[in-house]
Amino acid sequence: MTTATTQVDDLRLVAAPTAVSCAEMFVRFALLEWKLRPLADDAATVIRHLVRSSVDGADRRSPRFLTVRLRLHRDVVVVELDDDRPGEPPELPGWTINTVALPGGHRTAWCELPLPAGVTGALPTRSPHRLPSPATEYPAGEPLPEPDFLDSQILQRVLHGLNGSAR
């Protein structure tokens, strides 16, 4: 399969212990949406490793942010983590994890997971209630439209789950 590089989805998290399970859920859900279920376990293993190593080195008194990103690039899914830890993450046996240092003490760590033979990713279509990404679909300087849909029950369940997992 040959496709243009497509950054598909990312998630920003606070570097807290709950970030590990949130990142794993995000990765599993995104790959299910992209119809790439065969990669879900491997991608979850990689992202758990990357996020856990970043969270373990975090200062609990001064939390920082992590960004988890998934991209479909040609015939691989790229699992990425942006954080502000210097150096390489610990090795993960069986996987090649690459790292690049960025300005300001930040880094990006990533692992490429090849698509299984005969498998192609199917990028999801956007729900009519989901706002477009401002970085890709709106020119700079144009105001974003106001959301016309908010499901307060979903927000309450998410908040309840996050508060319950902190105990």
Side-chain angles (χ1 to χ4, degrees), residues 38-87:
L39 293 176
D41 289 340
D42 290 343
T45 297
V46 169
I47 203 62
R48 269 194 320 265
H49 174 74
L50 292 174
V51 173
R52 185 174 294 122
S53 70
S54 186
V55 167
D56 287 348
D59 180 359
R60 301 276 193 264
R61 297 172 305 220
S62 178
R64 56 189 166 50
F65 288 97
L66 312 172
T67 301
V68 173
R69 184 176 305 108
L70 290 175
R71 290 186 294 122
L72 185 59
H73 180 74
R74 294 192 180 118
D75 57 352
V76 297
V77 169
V78 183
V79 180
E80 298 179 0
L81 174 72
D82 292 342
D83 66 5
D84 63 356
R85 301 250 351 254

mmCIF file of all heavy atoms in Angstrom, residues 38-87:
data_model
loop_
_atom_site.group_PDB
_atom_site.id
_atom_site.type_symbol
_atom_site.label_atom_id
_atom_site.label_comp_id
_atom_site.label_asym_id
_atom_site.label_seq_id
_atom_site.Cartn_x
_atom_site.Cartn_y
_atom_site.Cartn_z
ATOM 1 N N PRO A 38 -5.413 -5.835 13.814
ATOM 2 C CA PRO A 38 -4.280 -6.739 14.027
ATOM 3 C C PRO A 38 -3.051 -6.067 14.654
ATOM 4 O O PRO A 38 -2.204 -6.746 15.220
ATOM 5 C CB PRO A 38 -3.940 -7.246 12.616
ATOM 6 C CG PRO A 38 -5.203 -7.083 11.835
ATOM 7 C CD PRO A 38 -5.883 -5.874 12.420
ATOM 8 N N LEU A 39 -2.957 -4.753 14.576
ATOM 9 C CA LEU A 39 -1.818 -4.051 15.152
ATOM 10 C C LEU A 39 -2.075 -3.542 16.571
ATOM 11 O O LEU A 39 -1.163 -3.005 17.209
ATOM 12 C CB LEU A 39 -1.431 -2.860 14.271
ATOM 13 C CG LEU A 39 -0.881 -3.204 12.892
ATOM 14 C CD1 LEU A 39 -0.639 -1.939 12.087
ATOM 15 C CD2 LEU A 39 0.388 -4.002 13.023
ATOM 16 N N ALA A 40 -3.287 -3.682 17.064
ATOM 17 C CA ALA A 40 -3.662 -3.066 18.340
ATOM 18 C C ALA A 40 -2.819 -3.550 19.512
ATOM 19 O O ALA A 40 -2.359 -2.744 20.324
ATOM 20 C CB ALA A 40 -5.144 -3.289 18.622
ATOM 21 N N ASP A 41 -2.581 -4.858 19.629
ATOM 22 C CA ASP A 41 -1.811 -5.362 20.769
ATOM 23 C C ASP A 41 -0.367 -4.879 20.724
ATOM 24 O O ASP A 41 0.185 -4.450 21.742
ATOM 25 C CB ASP A 41 -1.849 -6.891 20.817
ATOM 26 C CG ASP A 41 -3.216 -7.428 21.219
ATOM 27 O OD1 ASP A 41 -4.012 -6.666 21.816
ATOM 28 O OD2 ASP A 41 -3.485 -8.608 20.941
ATOM 29 N N ASP A 42 0.253 -4.935 19.540
ATOM 30 C CA ASP A 42 1.642 -4.478 19.419
ATOM 31 C C ASP A 42 1.754 -2.981 19.688
ATOM 32 O O ASP A 42 2.656 -2.536 20.406
ATOM 33 C CB ASP A 42 2.190 -4.802 18.028
ATOM 34 C CG ASP A 42 2.408 -6.292 17.816
ATOM 35 O OD1 ASP A 42 2.455 -7.045 18.817
ATOM 36 O OD2 ASP A 42 2.522 -6.709 16.650
ATOM 37 N N ALA A 43 0.854 -2.196 19.120
ATOM 38 C CA ALA A 43 0.891 -0.748 19.321
ATOM 39 C C ALA A 43 0.648 -0.408 20.791
ATOM 40 O O ALA A 43 1.288 0.505 21.336
ATOM 41 C CB ALA A 43 -0.139 -0.061 18.433
ATOM 42 N N ALA A 44 -0.250 -1.138 21.447
ATOM 43 C CA ALA A 44 -0.521 -0.899 22.867
ATOM 44 C C ALA A 44 0.716 -1.218 23.710
ATOM 45 O O ALA A 44 1.033 -0.493 24.652
ATOM 46 C CB ALA A 44 -1.720 -1.724 23.325
ATOM 47 N N THR A 45 1.429 -2.283 23.366
ATOM 48 C CA THR A 45 2.660 -2.636 24.082
ATOM 49 C C THR A 45 3.685 -1.516 23.964
ATOM 50 O O THR A 45 4.296 -1.097 24.951
ATOM 51 C CB THR A 45 3.246 -3.950 23.521
ATOM 52 O OG1 THR A 45 2.305 -5.001 23.751
ATOM 53 C CG2 THR A 45 4.569 -4.290 24.176
ATOM 54 N N VAL A 46 3.874 -1.016 22.751
ATOM 55 C CA VAL A 46 4.857 0.044 22.517
ATOM 56 C C VAL A 46 4.470 1.321 23.254
ATOM 57 O O VAL A 46 5.296 1.925 23.937
ATOM 58 C CB VAL A 46 5.023 0.308 21.006
ATOM 59 C CG1 VAL A 46 5.831 1.563 20.757
ATOM 60 C CG2 VAL A 46 5.670 -0.891 20.320
ATOM 61 N N ILE A 47 3.207 1.743 23.141
ATOM 62 C CA ILE A 47 2.826 3.021 23.757
ATOM 63 C C ILE A 47 2.846 2.919 25.279
ATOM 64 O O ILE A 47 3.227 3.869 25.959
ATOM 65 C CB ILE A 47 1.476 3.550 23.211
ATOM 66 C CG1 ILE A 47 1.406 5.071 23.422
ATOM 67 C CG2 ILE A 47 0.285 2.879 23.873
ATOM 68 C CD1 ILE A 47 2.450 5.850 22.709
ATOM 69 N N ARG A 48 2.461 1.765 25.827
ATOM 70 C CA ARG A 48 2.557 1.583 27.287
ATOM 71 C C ARG A 48 4.005 1.760 27.739
ATOM 72 O O ARG A 48 4.280 2.430 28.731
ATOM 73 C CB ARG A 48 2.072 0.182 27.695
ATOM 74 C CG ARG A 48 0.625 0.089 28.018
ATOM 75 C CD ARG A 48 0.258 -1.211 28.738
ATOM 76 N NE ARG A 48 0.930 -2.384 28.228
ATOM 77 C CZ ARG A 48 0.434 -3.222 27.310
ATOM 78 N NH1 ARG A 48 -0.761 -3.009 26.807
ATOM 79 N NH2 ARG A 48 1.116 -4.265 26.918
ATOM 80 N N HIS A 49 4.930 1.159 27.003
ATOM 81 C CA HIS A 49 6.348 1.245 27.343
ATOM 82 C C HIS A 49 6.845 2.689 27.287
ATOM 83 O O HIS A 49 7.506 3.163 28.217
ATOM 84 C CB HIS A 49 7.154 0.361 26.382
ATOM 85 C CG HIS A 49 8.625 0.487 26.537
ATOM 86 N ND1 HIS A 49 9.308 -0.066 27.595
ATOM 87 C CD2 HIS A 49 9.548 1.120 25.777
ATOM 88 C CE1 HIS A 49 10.598 0.216 27.475
ATOM 89 N NE2 HIS A 49 10.763 0.938 26.376
ATOM 90 N N LEU A 50 6.523 3.379 26.192
ATOM 91 C CA LEU A 50 6.992 4.757 26.027
ATOM 92 C C LEU A 50 6.404 5.684 27.093
ATOM 93 O O LEU A 50 7.125 6.474 27.710
ATOM 94 C CB LEU A 50 6.648 5.280 24.639
ATOM 95 C CG LEU A 50 7.385 4.633 23.468
ATOM 96 C CD1 LEU A 50 6.838 5.151 22.143
ATOM 97 C CD2 LEU A 50 8.881 4.888 23.569
ATOM 98 N N VAL A 51 5.101 5.598 27.303
ATOM 99 C CA VAL A 51 4.445 6.492 28.266
ATOM 100 C C VAL A 51 4.884 6.154 29.692
ATOM 101 O O VAL A 51 5.177 7.050 30.481
ATOM 102 C CB VAL A 51 2.913 6.449 28.115
ATOM 103 C CG1 VAL A 51 2.224 7.225 29.219
ATOM 104 C CG2 VAL A 51 2.503 6.991 26.749
ATOM 105 N N ARG A 52 4.972 4.866 30.022
ATOM 106 C CA ARG A 52 5.392 4.492 31.376
ATOM 107 C C ARG A 52 6.800 5.008 31.661
ATOM 108 O O ARG A 52 7.056 5.543 32.749
ATOM 109 C CB ARG A 52 5.343 2.974 31.569
ATOM 110 C CG ARG A 52 5.666 2.570 33.008
ATOM 111 C CD ARG A 52 5.488 1.084 33.262
ATOM 112 N NE ARG A 52 4.087 0.731 33.149
ATOM 113 C CZ ARG A 52 3.610 -0.184 32.295
ATOM 114 N NH1 ARG A 52 4.418 -0.841 31.500
ATOM 115 N NH2 ARG A 52 2.326 -0.447 32.259
ATOM 116 N N SER A 53 7.717 4.885 30.699
ATOM 117 C CA SER A 53 9.080 5.358 30.950
ATOM 118 C C SER A 53 9.108 6.875 31.133
ATOM 119 O O SER A 53 9.881 7.397 31.932
ATOM 120 C CB SER A 53 10.024 4.931 29.834
ATOM 121 O OG SER A 53 9.768 5.620 28.641
ATOM 122 N N SER A 54 8.250 7.580 30.418
ATOM 123 C CA SER A 54 8.186 9.031 30.572
ATOM 124 C C SER A 54 7.552 9.419 31.909
ATOM 125 O O SER A 54 8.046 10.296 32.611
ATOM 126 C CB SER A 54 7.394 9.644 29.416
ATOM 127 O OG SER A 54 7.441 11.037 29.480
ATOM 128 N N VAL A 55 6.470 8.755 32.269
ATOM 129 C CA VAL A 55 5.776 9.060 33.527
ATOM 130 C C VAL A 55 6.656 8.709 34.726
ATOM 131 O O VAL A 55 6.699 9.455 35.705
ATOM 132 C CB VAL A 55 4.426 8.313 33.588
ATOM 133 C CG1 VAL A 55 3.832 8.348 34.987
ATOM 134 C CG2 VAL A 55 3.453 8.897 32.580
ATOM 135 N N ASP A 56 7.386 7.595 34.640
ATOM 136 C CA ASP A 56 8.248 7.197 35.763
ATOM 137 C C ASP A 56 9.315 8.244 36.045
ATOM 138 O O ASP A 56 9.759 8.390 37.176
ATOM 139 C CB ASP A 56 8.903 5.842 35.484
ATOM 140 C CG ASP A 56 7.919 4.689 35.601
ATOM 141 O OD1 ASP A 56 6.802 4.895 36.112
ATOM 142 O OD2 ASP A 56 8.279 3.572 35.165
ATOM 143 N N GLY A 57 9.734 8.984 35.025
ATOM 144 C CA GLY A 57 10.737 10.016 35.219
ATOM 145 C C GLY A 57 10.167 11.393 35.496
ATOM 146 O O GLY A 57 10.909 12.363 35.610
ATOM 147 N N ALA A 58 8.854 11.477 35.612
ATOM 148 C CA ALA A 58 8.198 12.776 35.810
ATOM 149 C C ALA A 58 8.276 13.216 37.276
ATOM 150 O O ALA A 58 8.250 12.393 38.177
ATOM 151 C CB ALA A 58 6.741 12.701 35.378
ATOM 152 N N ASP A 59 8.344 14.507 37.471
ATOM 153 C CA ASP A 59 8.290 15.094 38.799
ATOM 154 C C ASP A 59 6.814 15.243 39.168
ATOM 155 O O ASP A 59 6.096 16.031 38.556
ATOM 156 C CB ASP A 59 8.995 16.446 38.799
ATOM 157 C CG ASP A 59 8.983 17.132 40.154
ATOM 158 O OD1 ASP A 59 8.398 16.576 41.119
ATOM 159 O OD2 ASP A 59 9.565 18.221 40.258
ATOM 160 N N ARG A 60 6.363 14.498 40.151
ATOM 161 C CA ARG A 60 4.940 14.500 40.528
ATOM 162 C C ARG A 60 4.474 15.877 41.024
ATOM 163 O O ARG A 60 3.311 16.206 40.968
ATOM 164 C CB ARG A 60 4.669 13.467 41.616
ATOM 165 C CG ARG A 60 5.032 12.056 41.242
ATOM 166 C CD ARG A 60 3.914 11.402 40.462
ATOM 167 N NE ARG A 60 4.109 9.967 40.356
ATOM 168 C CZ ARG A 60 4.677 9.376 39.322
ATOM 169 N NH1 ARG A 60 5.144 10.078 38.339
ATOM 170 N NH2 ARG A 60 4.789 8.066 39.273
ATOM 171 N N ARG A 61 5.423 16.696 41.538
ATOM 172 C CA ARG A 61 5.046 18.021 42.040
ATOM 173 C C ARG A 61 4.868 19.030 40.917
ATOM 174 O O ARG A 61 4.274 20.079 41.109
ATOM 175 C CB ARG A 61 6.110 18.521 43.013
ATOM 176 C CG ARG A 61 6.233 17.649 44.259
ATOM 177 C CD ARG A 61 7.417 18.096 45.037
ATOM 178 N NE ARG A 61 8.581 18.055 44.135
ATOM 179 C CZ ARG A 61 9.783 17.643 44.463
ATOM 180 N NH1 ARG A 61 10.015 17.265 45.675
ATOM 181 N NH2 ARG A 61 10.766 17.627 43.591
ATOM 182 N N SER A 62 5.416 18.731 39.758
ATOM 183 C CA SER A 62 5.345 19.652 38.634
ATOM 184 C C SER A 62 4.997 18.871 37.366
ATOM 185 O O SER A 62 5.871 18.591 36.544
ATOM 186 C CB SER A 62 6.691 20.363 38.479
ATOM 187 O OG SER A 62 6.644 21.213 37.366
ATOM 188 N N PRO A 63 3.734 18.479 37.215
ATOM 189 C CA PRO A 63 3.374 17.647 36.071
ATOM 190 C C PRO A 63 3.576 18.381 34.750
ATOM 191 O O PRO A 63 3.492 19.600 34.675
ATOM 192 C CB PRO A 63 1.892 17.327 36.292
ATOM 193 C CG PRO A 63 1.412 18.319 37.266
ATOM 194 C CD PRO A 63 2.594 18.816 38.034
ATOM 195 N N ARG A 64 3.872 17.632 33.735
ATOM 196 C CA ARG A 64 4.070 18.172 32.402
ATOM 197 C C ARG A 64 3.178 17.412 31.438
ATOM 198 O O ARG A 64 2.498 16.475 31.826
ATOM 199 C CB ARG A 64 5.537 18.071 32.008
ATOM 200 C CG ARG A 64 6.047 16.650 32.090
ATOM 201 C CD ARG A 64 7.528 16.602 31.923
ATOM 202 N NE ARG A 64 8.157 15.371 32.280
ATOM 203 C CZ ARG A 64 7.828 14.155 31.910
ATOM 204 N NH1 ARG A 64 6.795 13.958 31.165
ATOM 205 N NH2 ARG A 64 8.502 13.111 32.288
ATOM 206 N N PHE A 65 3.229 17.793 30.182
ATOM 207 C CA PHE A 65 2.368 17.163 29.193
ATOM 208 C C PHE A 65 3.152 16.213 28.298
ATOM 209 O O PHE A 65 4.339 16.405 28.047
ATOM 210 C CB PHE A 65 1.685 18.217 28.318
ATOM 211 C CG PHE A 65 0.619 18.963 29.044
ATOM 212 C CD1 PHE A 65 0.884 20.198 29.602
ATOM 213 C CD2 PHE A 65 -0.647 18.428 29.176
ATOM 214 C CE1 PHE A 65 -0.095 20.889 30.279
ATOM 215 C CE2 PHE A 65 -1.629 19.106 29.855
ATOM 216 C CZ PHE A 65 -1.360 20.351 30.412
ATOM 217 N N LEU A 66 2.449 15.208 27.820
ATOM 218 C CA LEU A 66 2.937 14.255 26.838
ATOM 219 C C LEU A 66 1.988 14.317 25.658
ATOM 220 O O LEU A 66 0.801 14.568 25.836
ATOM 221 C CB LEU A 66 2.911 12.826 27.380
ATOM 222 C CG LEU A 66 3.499 12.563 28.752
ATOM 223 C CD1 LEU A 66 3.180 11.126 29.179
ATOM 224 C CD2 LEU A 66 4.984 12.788 28.715
ATOM 225 N N THR A 67 2.490 14.049 24.478
ATOM 226 C CA THR A 67 1.615 13.931 23.318
ATOM 227 C C THR A 67 1.846 12.566 22.695
ATOM 228 O O THR A 67 2.974 12.206 22.371
ATOM 229 C CB THR A 67 1.898 15.028 22.279
ATOM 230 O OG1 THR A 67 1.712 16.297 22.892
ATOM 231 C CG2 THR A 67 0.964 14.909 21.084
ATOM 232 N N VAL A 68 0.770 11.803 22.559
ATOM 233 C CA VAL A 68 0.787 10.507 21.885
ATOM 234 C C VAL A 68 0.225 10.736 20.497
ATOM 235 O O VAL A 68 -0.811 11.394 20.347
ATOM 236 C CB VAL A 68 -0.074 9.476 22.654
ATOM 237 C CG1 VAL A 68 -0.210 8.188 21.875
ATOM 238 C CG2 VAL A 68 0.499 9.229 24.032
ATOM 239 N N ARG A 69 0.904 10.199 19.498
ATOM 240 C CA ARG A 69 0.474 10.438 18.114
ATOM 241 C C ARG A 69 0.543 9.135 17.336
ATOM 242 O O ARG A 69 1.475 8.353 17.500
ATOM 243 C CB ARG A 69 1.391 11.472 17.468
ATOM 244 C CG ARG A 69 1.021 11.886 16.082
ATOM 245 C CD ARG A 69 1.920 12.997 15.550
ATOM 246 N NE ARG A 69 1.939 14.151 16.444
ATOM 247 C CZ ARG A 69 2.960 14.508 17.215
ATOM 248 N NH1 ARG A 69 4.072 13.835 17.217
ATOM 249 N NH2 ARG A 69 2.879 15.567 17.993
ATOM 250 N N LEU A 70 -0.447 8.928 16.475
ATOM 251 C CA LEU A 70 -0.462 7.802 15.535
ATOM 252 C C LEU A 70 -0.513 8.357 14.127
ATOM 253 O O LEU A 70 -1.287 9.274 13.849
ATOM 254 C CB LEU A 70 -1.694 6.927 15.753
ATOM 255 C CG LEU A 70 -1.721 6.110 17.017
ATOM 256 C CD1 LEU A 70 -3.066 5.402 17.133
ATOM 257 C CD2 LEU A 70 -0.597 5.092 17.027
ATOM 258 N N ARG A 71 0.317 7.801 13.259
ATOM 259 C CA ARG A 71 0.295 8.198 11.855
ATOM 260 C C ARG A 71 0.319 6.951 10.996
ATOM 261 O O ARG A 71 0.990 5.979 11.325
ATOM 262 C CB ARG A 71 1.529 9.038 11.500
ATOM 263 C CG ARG A 71 1.544 10.399 12.095
ATOM 264 C CD ARG A 71 2.708 11.245 11.593
ATOM 265 N NE ARG A 71 3.996 10.726 12.024
ATOM 266 C CZ ARG A 71 4.982 10.377 11.203
ATOM 267 N NH1 ARG A 71 4.833 10.473 9.904
ATOM 268 N NH2 ARG A 71 6.131 9.930 11.666
ATOM 269 N N LEU A 72 -0.395 7.032 9.902
ATOM 270 C CA LEU A 72 -0.314 5.994 8.883
ATOM 271 C C LEU A 72 0.619 6.549 7.816
ATOM 272 O O LEU A 72 0.369 7.614 7.249
ATOM 273 C CB LEU A 72 -1.708 5.726 8.305
ATOM 274 C CG LEU A 72 -1.818 4.589 7.315
ATOM 275 C CD1 LEU A 72 -1.374 3.273 7.937
ATOM 276 C CD2 LEU A 72 -3.257 4.480 6.833
ATOM 277 N N HIS A 73 1.731 5.861 7.586
ATOM 278 C CA HIS A 73 2.744 6.350 6.649
ATOM 279 C C HIS A 73 3.149 5.191 5.749
ATOM 280 O O HIS A 73 3.797 4.247 6.209
ATOM 281 C CB HIS A 73 3.944 6.885 7.430
ATOM 282 C CG HIS A 73 5.046 7.406 6.581
ATOM 283 N ND1 HIS A 73 4.963 8.599 5.917
ATOM 284 C CD2 HIS A 73 6.265 6.900 6.288
ATOM 285 C CE1 HIS A 73 6.079 8.814 5.262
ATOM 286 N NE2 HIS A 73 6.886 7.794 5.464
ATOM 287 N N ARG A 74 2.747 5.277 4.493
ATOM 288 C CA ARG A 74 2.992 4.217 3.512
ATOM 289 C C ARG A 74 2.482 2.895 4.043
ATOM 290 O O ARG A 74 1.287 2.719 4.193
ATOM 291 C CB ARG A 74 4.446 4.182 3.108
ATOM 292 C CG ARG A 74 4.872 5.415 2.367
ATOM 293 C CD ARG A 74 6.230 5.241 1.732
ATOM 294 N NE ARG A 74 6.586 6.466 1.035
ATOM 295 C CZ ARG A 74 7.618 7.199 1.336
ATOM 296 N NH1 ARG A 74 8.434 6.836 2.288
ATOM 297 N NH2 ARG A 74 7.846 8.311 0.658
ATOM 298 N N ASP A 75 3.375 1.968 4.358
ATOM 299 C CA ASP A 75 2.934 0.644 4.793
ATOM 300 C C ASP A 75 3.237 0.380 6.265
ATOM 301 O O ASP A 75 3.398 -0.758 6.682
ATOM 302 C CB ASP A 75 3.563 -0.434 3.914
ATOM 303 C CG ASP A 75 5.081 -0.359 3.907
ATOM 304 O OD1 ASP A 75 5.630 0.621 4.452
ATOM 305 O OD2 ASP A 75 5.712 -1.272 3.363
ATOM 306 N N VAL A 76 3.300 1.465 7.077
ATOM 307 C CA VAL A 76 3.529 1.321 8.514
ATOM 308 C C VAL A 76 2.598 2.244 9.297
ATOM 309 O O VAL A 76 2.140 3.258 8.787
ATOM 310 C CB VAL A 76 4.994 1.635 8.920
ATOM 311 C CG1 VAL A 76 5.964 0.657 8.288
ATOM 312 C CG2 VAL A 76 5.373 3.059 8.619
ATOM 313 N N VAL A 77 2.360 1.854 10.535
ATOM 314 C CA VAL A 77 1.722 2.741 11.506
ATOM 315 C C VAL A 77 2.845 3.205 12.418
ATOM 316 O O VAL A 77 3.621 2.392 12.929
ATOM 317 C CB VAL A 77 0.625 2.024 12.311
ATOM 318 C CG1 VAL A 77 0.179 2.878 13.483
ATOM 319 C CG2 VAL A 77 -0.553 1.680 11.427
ATOM 320 N N VAL A 78 2.956 4.506 12.585
ATOM 321 C CA VAL A 78 3.997 5.080 13.435
ATOM 322 C C VAL A 78 3.351 5.466 14.761
ATOM 323 O O VAL A 78 2.389 6.234 14.781
ATOM 324 C CB VAL A 78 4.648 6.303 12.766
ATOM 325 C CG1 VAL A 78 5.776 6.837 13.641
ATOM 326 C CG2 VAL A 78 5.159 5.953 11.367
ATOM 327 N N VAL A 79 3.878 4.906 15.845
ATOM 328 C CA VAL A 79 3.424 5.213 17.199
ATOM 329 C C VAL A 79 4.460 6.156 17.788
ATOM 330 O O VAL A 79 5.640 5.802 17.872
ATOM 331 C CB VAL A 79 3.319 3.931 18.053
ATOM 332 C CG1 VAL A 79 2.854 4.256 19.459
ATOM 333 C CG2 VAL A 79 2.401 2.915 17.394
ATOM 334 N N GLU A 80 4.041 7.369 18.195
ATOM 335 C CA GLU A 80 4.980 8.389 18.656
ATOM 336 C C GLU A 80 4.615 8.906 20.044
ATOM 337 O O GLU A 80 3.449 8.917 20.420
ATOM 338 C CB GLU A 80 4.971 9.603 17.723
ATOM 339 C CG GLU A 80 5.386 9.323 16.320
ATOM 340 C CD GLU A 80 5.330 10.563 15.435
ATOM 341 O OE1 GLU A 80 4.958 11.652 15.920
ATOM 342 O OE2 GLU A 80 5.658 10.429 14.255
ATOM 343 N N LEU A 81 5.649 9.381 20.741
ATOM 344 C CA LEU A 81 5.467 10.069 22.011
ATOM 345 C C LEU A 81 6.363 11.293 22.013
ATOM 346 O O LEU A 81 7.565 11.185 21.775
ATOM 347 C CB LEU A 81 5.842 9.170 23.194
ATOM 348 C CG LEU A 81 5.820 9.877 24.556
ATOM 349 C CD1 LEU A 81 4.387 10.159 24.981
ATOM 350 C CD2 LEU A 81 6.544 9.067 25.594
ATOM 351 N N ASP A 82 5.777 12.457 22.258
ATOM 352 C CA ASP A 82 6.545 13.690 22.462
ATOM 353 C C ASP A 82 6.534 13.983 23.953
ATOM 354 O O ASP A 82 5.463 13.968 24.583
ATOM 355 C CB ASP A 82 5.902 14.877 21.735
ATOM 356 C CG ASP A 82 5.967 14.757 20.231
ATOM 357 O OD1 ASP A 82 6.782 13.971 19.722
ATOM 358 O OD2 ASP A 82 5.193 15.461 19.552
ATOM 359 N N ASP A 83 7.722 14.237 24.517
ATOM 360 C CA ASP A 83 7.802 14.600 25.933
ATOM 361 C C ASP A 83 9.012 15.496 26.152
ATOM 362 O O ASP A 83 9.663 15.904 25.195
ATOM 363 C CB ASP A 83 7.823 13.365 26.838
ATOM 364 C CG ASP A 83 9.060 12.509 26.682
ATOM 365 O OD1 ASP A 83 9.986 12.887 25.947
ATOM 366 O OD2 ASP A 83 9.113 11.423 27.301
ATOM 367 N N ASP A 84 9.316 15.801 27.413
ATOM 368 C CA ASP A 84 10.455 16.678 27.688
ATOM 369 C C ASP A 84 11.544 15.962 28.480
ATOM 370 O O ASP A 84 12.259 16.568 29.255
ATOM 371 C CB ASP A 84 10.003 17.955 28.403
ATOM 372 C CG ASP A 84 9.383 17.687 29.756
ATOM 373 O OD1 ASP A 84 9.234 16.506 30.128
ATOM 374 O OD2 ASP A 84 9.049 18.655 30.440
ATOM 375 N N ARG A 85 11.670 14.677 28.250
ATOM 376 C CA ARG A 85 12.731 13.901 28.889
ATOM 377 C C ARG A 85 13.932 13.832 27.965
ATOM 378 O O ARG A 85 13.780 13.580 26.783
ATOM 379 C CB ARG A 85 12.262 12.466 29.173
ATOM 380 C CG ARG A 85 11.062 12.376 30.053
ATOM 381 C CD ARG A 85 11.254 11.838 31.440
ATOM 382 N NE ARG A 85 12.497 11.260 31.803
ATOM 383 C CZ ARG A 85 12.708 9.954 31.952
ATOM 384 N NH1 ARG A 85 11.748 9.092 31.713
ATOM 385 N NH2 ARG A 85 13.884 9.522 32.346
ATOM 386 N N PRO A 86 15.116 14.004 28.479
ATOM 387 C CA PRO A 86 16.299 13.865 27.630
ATOM 388 C C PRO A 86 16.639 12.387 27.416
ATOM 389 O O PRO A 86 16.230 11.529 28.189
ATOM 390 C CB PRO A 86 17.388 14.566 28.439
ATOM 391 C CG PRO A 86 16.946 14.432 29.853
ATOM 392 C CD PRO A 86 15.434 14.445 29.829
ATOM 393 N N GLY A 87 17.372 12.119 26.368
ATOM 394 C CA GLY A 87 17.908 10.779 26.144
ATOM 395 C C GLY A 87 16.930 9.801 25.537
ATOM 396 O O GLY A 87 15.831 10.148 25.104
#
